[in-house]
Amino acid sequence: MNSNIAHTWEMHCHSDFSDGALSPQTLYDRALEQQLDHLVLTDHDTAAGFRWLTESGQLSDDLKLWSGAELSSIWQKRSIHVVGIGMDVFSDDWRAVEARYDHIREQRLERLLFVLRREGLSIDEQAVRDQAGEGTLGRPHIARHLVETGQAKNSAQAFKRWLGQGKVGDVKQNWPELERAVDDIRRCGGVAVLAHPHRYKLTWRKLDQLLTDFQLAGGQAVEVSCPAMPPELRKRLVDYCREQDLFIGGGSDFHLPDTPWARLGFYPQWPNDGQRLTDLLESGTLRVFSPDDRC
Ligand code: AMP
Ligand code: MN
Ligand code: MN
Ligand code: MN
């Protein structure tokens, strides 16, 4: 059994700049209320929420906000997520990364609309875009549209039938290769973290290959403290990270309030051994970027 406990760091969460429910400010305020000390906003393929908060939001000295993003990628035909922390997200380099992802998501939407309509679903493109608002548009927005139009009972069912892994709506061919996603993060000054390794449904042998390729590409850390990660896998990953000199990370992957299994700042206790990513971040070797860094 996993028990999730309250932490002072949150290194993986989503706002409504991607598929989360809360605005970055509401998310930040909630983290402050919960007495977190560090918050990394990791929206899918964008750091626009971080830019918005640093430029127009209300920040407190009690809660440090870090730039971040969760980049979509592909490895051996599987979709893999890489969390980046501490990138200079005001730089032209990073903005080019976001623009590339915007373009890919647009192309993917076209394909998604085609394959889902072919299944007989009725999808109003504008309504899906409205679900996403200004945020990066993903499958969860389509799922919500299917629920609102009575074509699915809930989002989980929409994923199970049409959108989840291996289903018609699992359109991933456009994502950049894993190596590229890692490079995008590193080039912009961030730390690359392999997100939720337990979710890819890989055998240990395959996961070992993924970890090797990830590290060869420049990946520096692996999420090991994740809600719902089987403890045996966590132990194996912690051992692996220690042997291979990778940092251990983690986070809740918070998206929505009222989901008891993914509460902001709650995830399993840090393992006793291993080099913690939080220590690396706290060591001050990474620069934290602010709007003043814009050149
Ligand atoms: P996308 O960014 O379009 O690839 O969508 C990926 C997002 O869909 C993930 O970050 C999750 O938030 C959500 N998701 C993935 N699988 C499921 C599932 N089985 N049930 C509900 N949401 C899911
Ligand atoms: Mn998501
Ligand atoms: Mn993810
Ligand atoms: Mn996530």
Side-chain angles (χ1 to χ4, degrees), residues 19 44 72 81 105 108 137-140 155-156 159 175 255:
D19 55 2
H44 296 289
S72 312
H81 286 175
R105 281 192 179 263
R108 188 175 74 138
L137 195 158
R139 286 171 289 165
S155 288
F159 269 91
W175 297 133
H255 281 74

Side-chain angles (χ1 to χ4, degrees), residues 12 14 18-20 44 70 81 140 199 253 255:
H12 188 156
H14 299 269
S18 64
D19 55 2
H44 296 289
E70 183 177 15
H81 286 175
R199 294 242 199 101
D253 204 1
H255 281 74

Side-chain angles (χ1 to χ4, degrees), residues 53-66:
L53 259 179
T54 48
E55 288 177 327
S56 325
Q58 296 258 315
L59 299 181
S60 153
D61 289 340
D62 295 334
L63 175 61
K64 181 161 168 172
L65 179 71
W66 296 76

Side-chain angles (χ1 to χ4, degrees), residues 1-136:
M1 258 295 288
N2 258 321
S3 42
N4 299 318
I5 60 164
H7 288 268
T8 55
W9 273 86
E10 175 59 271
M11 294 186 280
H12 188 156
C13 62
H14 299 269
S15 76
D16 62 3
F17 274 71
S18 64
D19 55 2
L22 307 180
S23 70
Q25 184 72 61
T26 309
L27 185 71
Y28 183 89
D29 292 345
R30 178 177 279 245
L32 195 59
E33 221 175 87
Q34 289 182 210
Q35 302 189 321
L36 270 83
D37 297 331
H38 299 266
L39 178 70
V40 191
L41 182 57
T42 58
D43 277 311
H44 296 289
D45 307 328
T46 183
F50 170 89
R51 288 195 298 271
W52 185 89
L53 259 179
T54 48
E55 288 177 327
S56 325
Q58 296 258 315
L59 299 181
S60 153
D61 289 340
D62 295 334
L63 175 61
K64 181 161 168 172
L65 179 71
W66 296 76
S67 64
E70 183 177 15
L71 295 188
S72 312
S73 79
I74 194 155
W75 175 83
Q76 296 198 1
K77 300 192 178 142
R78 292 170 170 86
S79 136
I80 302 291
H81 286 175
V82 184
V83 162
I85 301 178
M87 296 81 73
D88 176 0
V89 298
F90 292 97
S91 64
D92 290 345
D93 255 8
W94 179 260
R95 287 176 193 268
V97 171
E98 287 186 1
R100 177 153 39 82
Y101 273 102
D102 269 354
H103 180 67
I104 293 172
R105 281 192 179 263
E106 278 298 319
Q107 282 181 329
R108 188 175 74 138
L109 177 63
E110 248 177 64
R111 176 81 196 153
L112 271 164
L113 292 174
F114 174 77
V115 297
L116 294 172
R117 285 174 178 153
R118 199 173 54 186
E119 290 297 298
L121 291 167
S122 149
I123 301 180
D124 174 350
E125 180 177 339
Q126 192 51 50
V128 173
R129 288 188 187 277
D130 291 345
Q131 283 284 348
E134 296 291 298
T136 48

Side-chain angles (χ1 to χ4, degrees), residues 130-152:
D130 291 345
Q131 283 284 348
E134 296 291 298
T136 48
L137 195 158
R139 286 171 289 165
H141 302 109
I142 297 178
R144 283 176 217 162
H145 175 62
L146 291 174
V147 175
E148 278 189 4
T149 52
Q151 299 176 86

Side-chain angles (χ1 to χ4, degrees), residues 191-289:
V191 177
V193 190
L194 184 68
H196 44 62
H198 60 298
R199 294 242 199 101
Y200 307 127
K201 302 198 173 94
L202 300 172
T203 58
W204 178 256
R205 209 179 126 88
K206 271 276 168 211
L207 191 52
D208 192 326
Q209 269 181 33
L210 169 61
L211 289 160
T212 305
D213 288 352
F214 174 71
Q215 196 170 15
L216 280 174
Q220 299 133 295
V222 178
E223 288 188 346
V224 302
S225 281
C226 310
M229 175 183 282
E232 320 77 67
L233 178 61
R234 180 160 61 249
K235 185 166 180 331
R236 226 165 164 169
L237 286 168
V238 172
D239 290 344
Y240 183 95
C241 288
R242 198 181 43 245
E243 280 159 24
Q244 301 300 326
D245 254 344
L246 284 159
F247 287 92
I248 55 173
S252 70
D253 204 1
F254 171 87
H255 281 74
L256 317 162
D258 307 320
T259 37
W261 61 91
R263 284 176 65 192
L264 188 66
F266 279 72
Y267 48 90
Q269 191 154 24
W270 289 115
N272 289 325
D273 41 2
Q275 298 187 77
R276 278 188 213 166
L277 179 55
T278 50
D279 292 338
L280 171 71
L281 297 175
E282 255 168 333
S283 71
T285 47
L286 268 187
R287 279 185 65 206
V288 183
F289 294 93

